[in-house]
Coordinates of all heavy atoms in Angstrom, one line a residue:
S1 N 59.5 -56.2 -41.0 CA 59.9 -57.6 -41.5 C 59.1 -58.7 -40.9 O 58.8 -59.7 -41.5 CB 61.4 -57.8 -40.7 OG 61.9 -59.1 -41.0
E2 N 58.5 -58.6 -39.6 CA 57.7 -59.6 -39.0 C 56.3 -59.7 -39.8 O 55.7 -60.7 -39.8 CB 57.5 -59.2 -37.6 CG 58.8 -59.4 -36.7 CD 58.6 -59.0 -35.3 OE1 57.6 -58.4 -35.0 OE2 59.6 -59.2 -34.5
T3 N 55.8 -58.6 -40.2 CA 54.5 -58.6 -40.8 C 54.5 -58.8 -42.4 O 53.4 -59.0 -42.9 CB 53.7 -57.3 -40.4 OG1 54.4 -56.2 -40.9 CG2 53.6 -57.2 -39.0
G4 N 55.7 -58.5 -42.9 CA 55.7 -58.6 -44.4 C 55.1 -57.3 -45.1 O 55.0 -57.3 -46.3
S5 N 54.9 -56.2 -44.2 CA 54.4 -54.9 -44.8 C 55.4 -54.3 -45.5 O 56.6 -54.3 -45.0 CB 53.7 -54.2 -43.7 OG 52.7 -55.0 -43.1
G6 N 55.0 -53.4 -46.4 CA 56.0 -52.6 -47.2 C 56.5 -51.5 -46.3 O 55.7 -50.8 -45.6
Y7 N 57.8 -51.3 -46.2 CA 58.3 -50.1 -45.4 C 59.5 -49.5 -46.0 O 60.4 -50.3 -46.4 CB 58.5 -50.6 -43.9 CG 59.2 -49.5 -43.1 CD1 58.6 -48.3 -42.7 CD2 60.5 -49.7 -42.8 CE1 59.2 -47.4 -41.9 CE2 61.2 -48.8 -42.0 CZ 60.6 -47.6 -41.6 OH 61.2 -46.6 -40.8
S8 N 59.6 -48.2 -46.0 CA 60.8 -47.5 -46.4 C 61.0 -46.3 -45.6 O 59.9 -45.7 -45.1 CB 60.8 -47.2 -47.9 OG 59.7 -46.4 -48.3
F9 N 62.1 -45.8 -45.5 CA 62.3 -44.7 -44.6 C 63.2 -43.6 -45.5 O 64.2 -43.9 -46.0 CB 63.0 -45.0 -43.4 CG 63.4 -43.7 -42.5 CD1 62.4 -43.1 -41.9 CD2 64.7 -43.4 -42.3 CE1 62.6 -41.9 -41.0 CE2 65.0 -42.2 -41.5 CZ 64.0 -41.4 -41.0
I10 N 62.8 -42.3 -45.3 CA 63.4 -41.2 -46.1 C 64.0 -40.3 -45.0 O 63.2 -39.7 -44.1 CB 62.5 -40.4 -46.9 CG1 62.0 -41.5 -48.1 CG2 63.2 -39.4 -47.6 CD1 60.8 -40.7 -48.8
R11 N 65.3 -40.1 -44.9 CA 65.9 -39.2 -44.0 C 66.0 -37.9 -44.7 O 66.8 -37.6 -45.5 CB 67.3 -39.6 -43.5 CG 67.9 -39.0 -42.3 CD 69.1 -39.7 -41.8 NE 68.8 -41.1 -41.5 CZ 68.9 -41.6 -40.3 NH1 69.1 -40.7 -39.3 NH2 68.6 -42.9 -40.0
A12 N 65.1 -36.9 -44.3 CA 65.0 -35.7 -45.0 C 64.4 -34.5 -44.1 O 63.7 -34.9 -43.1 CB 64.1 -35.8 -46.3
D13 N 64.7 -33.4 -44.6 CA 64.1 -32.1 -43.8 C 63.0 -31.7 -44.5 O 63.1 -31.3 -45.7 CB 65.3 -31.1 -43.7 CG 64.8 -29.9 -42.8 OD1 63.6 -29.8 -42.6 OD2 65.7 -29.2 -42.5
L14 N 61.8 -31.6 -43.8 CA 60.5 -31.1 -44.6 C 60.7 -29.7 -45.0 O 60.0 -29.2 -46.0 CB 59.3 -31.2 -43.6 CG 58.8 -32.6 -43.3 CD1 57.7 -32.6 -42.4 CD2 58.3 -33.3 -44.7
A15 N 61.6 -28.8 -44.4 CA 61.7 -27.6 -44.9 C 62.6 -27.5 -46.2 O 62.6 -26.4 -46.8 CB 62.4 -26.7 -43.9
D16 N 63.1 -28.5 -46.6 CA 63.8 -28.6 -48.0 C 62.9 -29.0 -48.9 O 62.4 -30.1 -49.2 CB 64.9 -29.6 -47.8 CG 65.9 -29.7 -49.0 OD1 65.3 -29.6 -50.3 OD2 67.1 -29.9 -49.0
R17 N 62.4 -28.2 -49.8 CA 61.4 -28.2 -50.8 C 61.7 -29.3 -51.8 O 60.9 -30.1 -52.2 CB 61.2 -26.9 -51.5 CG 60.2 -26.9 -52.6 CD 59.9 -25.5 -53.2 NE 59.2 -25.6 -54.5 CZ 59.0 -24.5 -55.2 NH1 59.5 -23.3 -54.8 NH2 58.2 -24.6 -56.3
G18 N 63.0 -29.3 -52.2 CA 63.4 -30.2 -53.3 C 63.2 -31.7 -52.6 O 62.8 -32.6 -53.4
Q19 N 63.6 -32.0 -51.4 CA 63.5 -33.4 -50.9 C 62.0 -33.7 -50.7 O 61.8 -34.9 -51.0 CB 64.1 -33.4 -49.5 CG 65.7 -33.2 -49.4 CD 66.3 -33.4 -48.2 OE1 65.9 -32.8 -47.2 NE2 67.4 -34.3 -48.0
V20 N 61.1 -32.8 -50.4 CA 59.7 -33.2 -50.1 C 59.1 -33.5 -51.6 O 58.5 -34.3 -51.8 CB 58.9 -32.1 -49.5 CG1 57.5 -32.3 -49.4 CG2 59.5 -31.9 -48.1
E21 N 59.5 -32.6 -52.6 CA 59.0 -32.9 -53.9 C 59.5 -34.2 -54.4 O 58.8 -35.0 -55.1 CB 59.5 -31.7 -54.8 CG 58.7 -30.5 -54.6 CD 59.2 -29.3 -55.5 OE1 60.4 -29.4 -56.1 OE2 58.6 -28.3 -55.6
A22 N 60.7 -34.6 -54.1 CA 61.2 -35.9 -54.7 C 60.4 -37.0 -54.0 O 60.2 -38.0 -54.6 CB 62.8 -35.9 -54.3
C23 N 60.1 -36.9 -52.7 CA 59.3 -38.0 -52.0 C 58.0 -38.2 -52.7 O 57.6 -39.3 -53.0 CB 59.1 -37.5 -50.5 SG 58.0 -38.5 -49.6
F24 N 57.3 -37.0 -52.9 CA 55.9 -37.2 -53.6 C 56.0 -37.7 -55.1 O 55.1 -38.3 -55.6 CB 55.1 -35.9 -53.5 CG 54.5 -35.6 -52.2 CD1 55.1 -35.0 -51.2 CD2 53.2 -36.1 -51.9 CE1 54.5 -34.8 -49.9 CE2 52.6 -35.9 -50.8 CZ 53.2 -35.3 -49.7
A25 N 57.2 -37.3 -55.7 CA 57.3 -37.7 -57.0 C 57.7 -39.3 -57.1 O 57.3 -39.9 -58.2 CB 58.6 -36.9 -57.7
S26 N 58.2 -39.8 -56.1 CA 58.5 -41.2 -56.1 C 57.4 -42.2 -55.6 O 57.5 -43.4 -55.7 CB 59.8 -41.4 -55.2 OG 60.9 -40.8 -55.6
H27 N 56.4 -41.5 -55.0 CA 55.4 -42.5 -54.4 C 53.9 -41.9 -54.7 O 53.8 -40.6 -54.8 CB 55.5 -42.5 -52.8 CG 56.8 -43.1 -52.4 ND1 57.1 -44.5 -52.4 CD2 57.9 -42.4 -52.0 CE1 58.3 -44.7 -51.9 NE2 58.9 -43.5 -51.8
R28 N 53.0 -42.6 -54.8 CA 51.6 -42.2 -54.8 C 50.9 -42.7 -53.6 O 50.7 -43.8 -53.4 CB 51.0 -42.9 -56.0 CG 49.4 -42.4 -56.3 CD 49.3 -41.1 -56.6 NE 49.9 -40.7 -57.9 CZ 49.8 -39.4 -58.4 NH1 49.1 -38.5 -57.7 NH2 50.3 -39.2 -59.5
F29 N 50.7 -41.7 -52.7 CA 50.2 -42.0 -51.4 C 48.6 -42.1 -51.4 O 48.0 -41.0 -51.9 CB 50.7 -41.0 -50.3 CG 52.2 -40.9 -50.2 CD1 52.9 -39.8 -50.6 CD2 52.8 -42.1 -49.7 CE1 54.3 -39.9 -50.5 CE2 54.2 -42.0 -49.5 CZ 54.9 -40.9 -49.9
D30 N 48.1 -43.0 -50.6 CA 46.6 -43.0 -50.4 C 46.3 -42.2 -49.2 O 45.0 -41.7 -49.1 CB 46.2 -44.5 -50.1 CG 46.5 -45.4 -51.2 OD1 45.9 -45.2 -52.4 OD2 47.3 -46.4 -51.2
R31 N 47.1 -42.0 -48.3 CA 46.9 -41.2 -47.2 C 48.3 -40.5 -46.8 O 49.4 -41.1 -46.9 CB 46.4 -41.9 -46.0 CG 45.1 -42.6 -46.1 CD 44.0 -41.6 -46.1 NE 42.7 -42.2 -46.0 CZ 42.1 -42.6 -47.1 NH1 42.6 -42.5 -48.3 NH2 40.9 -43.2 -46.9
V32 N 48.2 -39.2 -46.3 CA 49.4 -38.6 -45.7 C 49.0 -38.2 -44.2 O 48.1 -37.7 -44.0 CB 49.9 -37.3 -46.4 CG1 50.9 -36.6 -45.8 CG2 50.3 -37.7 -47.9
I33 N 49.8 -38.7 -43.4 CA 49.7 -38.3 -42.0 C 50.9 -37.5 -41.5 O 52.0 -38.1 -41.3 CB 49.5 -39.6 -41.1 CG1 48.2 -40.4 -41.6 CG2 49.2 -39.2 -39.6 CD1 48.0 -41.7 -40.8
H34 N 50.7 -36.2 -41.2 CA 51.7 -35.3 -41.0 C 51.9 -35.1 -39.5 O 51.0 -34.4 -38.9 CB 51.6 -34.0 -41.7 CG 52.5 -32.9 -41.5 ND1 53.9 -33.1 -41.8 CD2 52.3 -31.7 -41.0 CE1 54.6 -32.0 -41.4 NE2 53.7 -31.2 -41.1
L35 N 52.9 -35.7 -39.0 CA 53.2 -35.5 -37.5 C 54.5 -34.8 -37.1 O 54.7 -34.3 -36.1 CB 53.2 -36.9 -36.8 CG 51.8 -37.6 -37.0 CD1 52.0 -39.0 -36.3 CD2 50.7 -36.9 -36.4

């Protein structure tokens, strides 16, 4: 909010294949940082 940067949050379990596929289907990422 303070910076005006785009931000969204997905509450999902990475072990759920369908949720991860939906995430990648909804966005085109320039980088993925997996922590």
